[in-house]
């Protein structure tokens, strides 16, 4: 049954319990007497169930990843992180969310090596920094519709942990003066989250040159982590010291933690 | 090494509300409280690490979905963590039961009297969920993003309009068109999979 926009809105209001008692009763009466409408309400209910489950699924996958990272972090002698079991028996749609890293790992952090500490610090901050914060400062009204759409789509992919896809998208995105720092930052962040620290470094170096203080500080922090991950301690140290000494820096305490492990 | 969960919620009512809002800390608390004991239970009941993780994910998914749609209501008689454990346990027992039918092995344990609904129906429901999500991935990016923002991230039409640089009314119409397209794809998928 092809729905009109009004019918669609009405069914949605019904499923969301947004109809008045009288309208609800009337609509339920229609459902009882119209088999097509009844089937359509069932379809719409199924669709919303699937979408709702996706939200839960994403949150569960984030939690699972965080839990596994915490187990790995709590084993001081472990050489390798705890193996993550393949998702073969889990519905394939879960896989999209499986690589999403989440906030809050710090709850479980105990003693780690510098690299593992950098992993945890990255995990704590990486997703938060490509979402709403970045959107707030992105000049959406000053760029072409195509650039805006590509950038927003890349952000969505980033949030879902599809780092490879973000990299593919942003590598070919034409950049202008207004957006180049954002492009370099998100691309660098995606490489870093994708465990490609060496590729992340030159992009974050460029992103750090932005005139936006907020973006500059973020790029600086992730650049320091990229250096740690790329075994360039001599480059990481001055950056981490600088961030650690800056009370106003949003990553001061995290930088101090990583610094303690390096020194 | 066992991970100690954070003491986060004073009452189960607070915990329940936090789960309804999908708060990250609530999920972390649930996961880190229930999984270690569930894992041990599976390991002592003919299962492996992978079985434990698999059943745990499925059980929690069933539980949390029921919680959000109101099929599970908070009960004074049973702690949330206990109910979640039972949901996961029943998933594993269901899987063991189908294996038992194949291999004639004995069932390992009794089922506690906690209301966990009908686990088989919940598991069947996941085939519908899976079909919806397969269909979602067949949509073009712009539609998939719009529907995910609205229905999964629960952004308002106004916020989405701002993101896309469109008028709110246009986003509303676009959402309708995308939802209709999703329905078409879903009906095709459901037919193909015999749902």
């Amino acid at each position: 049954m092809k729905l009109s926009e009004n019918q669609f809105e009405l069914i949605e209001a019904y499923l969301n319990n947004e109809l008045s008692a009288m309208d609800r009763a009337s609509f339920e009466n229609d459902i009882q007497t119209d088999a097509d409408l009844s089937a359509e309400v069932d379809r719409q209910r199924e669709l919303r169930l699937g979408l709702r489950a996706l939200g839960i699924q994403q949150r569960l996958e984030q939690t699972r990843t965080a839990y596994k990272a915490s187990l790995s972090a709590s084993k001081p002698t472990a050489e390798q992180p705890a193996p993550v079991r393949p998702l073969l028996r889990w519905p394939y749609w879960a896989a999209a969310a499986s690589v999403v890293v989440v906030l809050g790992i710090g709850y479980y952090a105990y003693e780690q090596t510098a690299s593992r500490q950098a992993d945890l610090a990255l995990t704590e901050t990486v997703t938060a920094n490509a979402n709403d914060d970045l959107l707030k400062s992105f000049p959406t009204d000053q760029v072409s519709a195509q650039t805006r759409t590509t950038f927003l789509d890349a952000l969505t992919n980033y949030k879902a942990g599809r780092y490879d896809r973000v990299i593919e998208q942003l590598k070919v995105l034409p950049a202008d003066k207004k957006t180049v720092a954002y492009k370099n930052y998100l691309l660098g962040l995606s490489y870093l989250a994708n465990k490609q620290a060496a590729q992340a470094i030159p992009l974050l170096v460029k992103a750090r040159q932005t005139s936006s203080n907020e973006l500059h500080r973020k790029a600086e922090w992730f650049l320091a982590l990229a250096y740690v991950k790329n075994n360039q301690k001599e480059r990481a140290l001055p950056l981490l010291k600088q961030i650690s000494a800056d009370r106003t820096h949003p990553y001061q305490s995290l930088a101090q933690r990583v610094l303690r492990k390096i020194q | 090494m066992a991970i100690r969960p954070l003491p986060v919620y004073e009452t189960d009512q607070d915990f329940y509300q936090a789960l309804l809002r999908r708060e990250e800390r609530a999920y972390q608390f649930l996961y880190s409280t229930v999984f270690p004991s569930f894992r041990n239970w599976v390991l002592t009941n003919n299962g492996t690490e992978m079985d434990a993780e698999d059943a745990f994910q499925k059980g929690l998914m069933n539980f949390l979905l029921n919680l959000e749609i109101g099929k599970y209501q908070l009960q004074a008689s049973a702690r949330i963590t206990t109910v979640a454990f039972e949901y996961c346990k029943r998933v594993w027992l269901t899987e063991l039961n189908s294996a038992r039918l194949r291999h004639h092995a004995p069932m390992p344990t009794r089922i506690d009297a906690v209301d966990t609904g009908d686990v088989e129906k919940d598991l069947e429901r996941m085939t519908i969920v899976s079909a919806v999500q397969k269909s979602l991935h067949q949509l073009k990016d712009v539609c998939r993003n719009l529907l995910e923002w609205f229905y999964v991230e629960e952004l308002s039409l106004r916020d989405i309009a701002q993101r896309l640089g469109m008028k709110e009314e246009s986003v509303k119409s676009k959402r309708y068109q995308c939802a209709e397209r999703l329905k078409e794809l879903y009906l095709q998928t459901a037919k193909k999979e015999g749902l």
Side-chain angles (χ1 to χ4, degrees):
Chain A
M1 173 180 175
K2 172 82 180 160
L3 291 175
S4 69
E5 193 167 344
N6 283 342
Q7 286 172 314
F8 173 81
E9 298 290 343
L10 182 61
I11 293 174
E12 180 145 280
Y14 171 71
L15 293 175
N16 290 342
N17 280 327
E18 291 167 354
L19 294 180
S20 67
M22 192 184 291
D23 288 346
R24 185 173 185 82
S26 163
F27 189 71
E28 283 176 345
N29 189 46
D30 291 345
I31 292 175
Q32 283 184 350
T33 55
D34 184 339
D36 285 346
L37 178 63
S38 175
E40 187 60 34
V41 171
D42 286 344
R43 289 299 82 72
Q44 295 293 335
R45 193 178 276 120
E46 288 167 5
L47 290 170
R48 277 155 189 75
L49 184 79
L51 292 162
R52 180 181 289 282
L54 181 62
I56 295 173
Q57 188 60 46
Q58 286 178 353
R59 177 59 88 200
L60 266 179
E61 285 296 330
Q62 290 170 351
T63 309
R64 185 175 81 133
T65 307
Y67 182 77
K68 284 191 169 291
S70 77
L71 284 181
S72 167
S74 65
K75 288 177 186 166
T77 56
E79 293 297 320
Q80 298 292 330
V84 177
R85 58 152 298 196
L87 292 168
L88 293 177
R89 297 206 293 159
W90 191 238
Y92 93 98
W93 43 265
S98 69
V99 290
V100 173
V101 285
V102 296
L103 304 172
I105 305 287
Y107 296 143
Y108 310 107
Y110 297 109
E111 293 298 318
Q112 299 90 27
T113 63
S115 181
R116 189 176 294 151
Q117 183 67 61
D119 279 341
L120 287 173
L122 176 66
T123 305
E124 250 184 87
T125 48
V126 75
T127 41
N129 279 284
N131 298 320
D132 296 337
D133 279 3
L134 198 58
L135 272 179
K136 277 178 201 158
S137 53
F138 187 71
T140 44
D141 52 346
Q142 296 171 37
V143 297
S144 72
Q146 192 186 349
T147 302
R148 184 171 55 225
T149 306
T150 306
F151 194 82
L152 289 171
D153 191 41
L155 277 175
T156 301
N157 283 325
Y158 184 95
K159 200 172 175 186
R162 299 186 280 259
Y163 304 123
D164 283 338
R165 191 142 173 216
V166 180
I167 292 166
E168 271 173 34
Q169 284 178 303
L170 292 185
K171 267 164 70 176
V172 295
L173 180 71
D176 54 29
K177 282 183 184 173
K178 294 190 191 85
T179 58
V180 69
Y182 292 90
K183 172 186 165 176
N184 286 331
Y185 173 71
L186 187 57
L187 195 50
L189 205 53
S190 301
Y191 275 122
L192 187 57
N194 212 31
K195 302 187 191 309
Q196 294 172 271
Q199 286 89 334
I201 289 169
L203 293 157
L204 292 169
V205 167
K206 284 184 199 164
R208 197 178 163 219
Q209 292 162 1
T210 175
S211 57
S212 156
N213 191 38
E214 189 188 10
L215 198 57
H216 168 84
R217 288 175 156 197
K218 288 178 177 180
E220 182 170 73
W221 161 242
F222 289 109
L223 178 61
L225 291 182
Y227 282 138
V228 175
K229 292 303 299 172
N230 206 38
N231 296 318
Q232 291 176 270
K233 183 181 166 183
E234 72 292 349
R235 288 186 181 267
L237 266 175
L239 269 181
L240 287 169
K241 281 181 182 169
Q242 182 193 320
I243 299 169
S244 297
D246 182 352
R247 282 186 189 172
T248 63
H249 203 292
Y251 300 114
Q252 186 196 27
S253 61
L254 282 168
Q256 287 169 344
R257 244 165 57 186
V258 178
L259 194 58
R260 277 199 295 275
K261 291 296 164 191
I262 288 185
Q263 287 180 321
Chain B
M1 175 181 169
I3 302 297
R4 290 184 64 79
L6 293 170
V8 194
Y9 301 100
E10 283 189 13
T11 66
D12 253 20
Q13 179 64 36
D14 293 342
F15 186 26
Y16 176 80
Q17 292 299 332
L19 286 172
L20 268 179
R21 293 190 296 271
R22 286 187 211 155
E23 281 183 14
E24 187 181 323
R25 291 186 82 190
Y27 270 58
Q28 286 181 346
F29 181 69
L30 182 67
Y31 206 101
S32 54
T33 306
V34 180
F35 183 68
S37 51
F38 179 70
R39 172 186 166 277
N40 290 338
W41 179 81
V42 171
L43 293 180
T44 53
N45 283 289
N46 306 333
T48 64
E49 288 274 353
M50 281 171 65
D51 294 327
E53 200 167 317
D54 196 50
F56 187 67
Q57 290 283 45
K58 287 177 182 169
L60 277 198
M61 183 75 215
N62 290 339
F63 170 64
L64 292 164
L65 198 50
N66 281 347
L67 181 140
E68 286 201 10
I69 64 176
K71 202 171 155 190
Y72 163 75
Q73 299 280 342
L74 185 63
Q75 302 144 11
S77 58
R79 301 292 305 268
I80 288 174
T81 47
T82 308
V83 177
F85 187 100
E86 286 299 318
Y87 264 83
C88 301
K89 192 169 158 183
R90 290 193 184 207
V91 168
W92 178 234
L93 288 175
T94 304
E95 293 189 5
L96 272 184
N97 197 29
S98 41
R100 183 180 63 85
L101 291 176
R102 287 197 300 272
H103 304 296
H104 308 291
M107 283 295 280
T109 187
R110 68 191 175 87
I111 294 177
D112 292 344
V114 173
D115 179 17
T116 53
D118 186 335
V119 68
E120 287 186 8
K121 277 189 185 163
D122 285 346
L123 289 171
E124 279 169 23
R125 183 177 64 183
M126 293 314 291
T127 60
I128 292 173
V129 166
S130 176
V132 172
Q133 293 172 359
K134 276 182 195 169
S135 311
L136 188 69
H137 283 281
Q138 291 171 43
L139 284 174
K140 287 184 179 168
D141 285 350
V142 65
C143 267
R144 195 191 70 243
N145 286 342
L146 198 156
L147 293 179
E148 283 194 15
W149 288 336
F150 188 80
Y151 290 105
V152 179
E153 295 182 32
E154 299 182 350
L155 294 181
S156 67
L157 289 173
R158 180 179 295 176
D159 287 342
I160 296 172
Q162 268 182 343
R163 278 193 178 188
L164 295 174
M166 292 167 71
K167 287 182 180 167
E168 197 174 326
E169 269 308 303
S170 310
V171 172
K172 197 174 167 190
S173 292
K174 186 78 185 165
R175 180 191 59 143
Y176 153 70
Q177 291 158 11
C178 293
E180 279 294 286
R181 178 66 188 138
L182 176 65
K183 185 179 76 182
E184 284 171 25
L185 292 168
Y186 170 64
L187 289 172
Q188 289 167 15
T189 306
K191 192 174 175 186
K192 207 183 297 176
E193 298 189 356
L195 298 178

